[in-house]
Structure formats: structure tokens, C-alpha cells
Amino acid sequence: YVERLWAYARRKPARRAHLVAGTDPTHRFGGQLPLLQAALPRGIRVEAYQAGRQSQEADRQQLRDLIATPWDLLVYQGHGSVHSWS
């Protein structure tokens, strides 16, 4: 465990970030994406994805694909649990 922490600490700074917002009619998760993007250092390539614009299965597949892609930083903002995401 300690070796993993040291390896992480020696990594180069993040250069790519993917921001994902869940969907919920009572919360504005997507409204937070610009604030998160503004808080990131300059020079980081940022892509944003708003769930709920496609079918639920298409959103789930997109999230699976994002997790499998080697991004430096992946932020999911929304409801979720150990068994499912919104």
C-alpha cells in the first residue's frame, strides 16, 4: 500500500480530466461542471459529459468506457452507490 502511495506521489501532474455529471431532476449536477473546470489548473485538457441526454443504457456504457480509458482525473458528480450510479 505504501509503495502505491509513493508511486502516486511521484507521478507527473494531471494533464487530462473528464468531468461527468449525473442526472436528477431535483439536483443540478451539470451546473457544477463549469465550476469544477474553472478550479482545475490551466493546461489540463478537460472534457465534460452530462448524463441523461441519451438512454440510461447509453449513459451506463459511456461511464464504463470512461472508467476503462486512462484519464489522469475522472470526476463523477451525482447520485450513486456501490451497486449503481444514477
Side-chain angles (χ1 to χ4, degrees):
Y1 181 75
V2 173
E3 289 176 6
R4 283 191 282 166
L5 288 175
W6 279 116
Y8 179 77
R10 290 189 301 262
R11 285 186 62 201
K12 293 179 181 178
R15 295 177 187 232
R16 299 171 303 161
H18 203 107
L19 309 178
V20 180
T23 180
D24 184 324
T26 62
H27 293 83
R28 291 194 34 154
F29 296 122
Q32 300 301 316
L33 292 181
L35 298 174
L36 286 170
Q37 185 170 355
L40 294 172
R42 293 181 190 259
I44 293 180
R45 188 181 90 204
V46 177
E47 292 186 30
Y49 178 74
Q50 173 69 53
R53 295 185 179 162
Q54 304 180 67
S55 70
Q56 189 175 36
E57 186 52 41
D59 282 339
R60 286 182 178 162
Q61 186 59 50
Q62 179 72 20
L63 291 173
R64 286 185 202 108
D65 293 344
L66 290 172
I67 291 169
T69 303
W71 288 90
D72 294 325
L73 177 64
L74 173 63
V75 177
Y76 175 80
Q77 191 169 21
H79 293 300
S81 73
V82 296
H83 300 291
S84 67
W85 290 353
S86 64

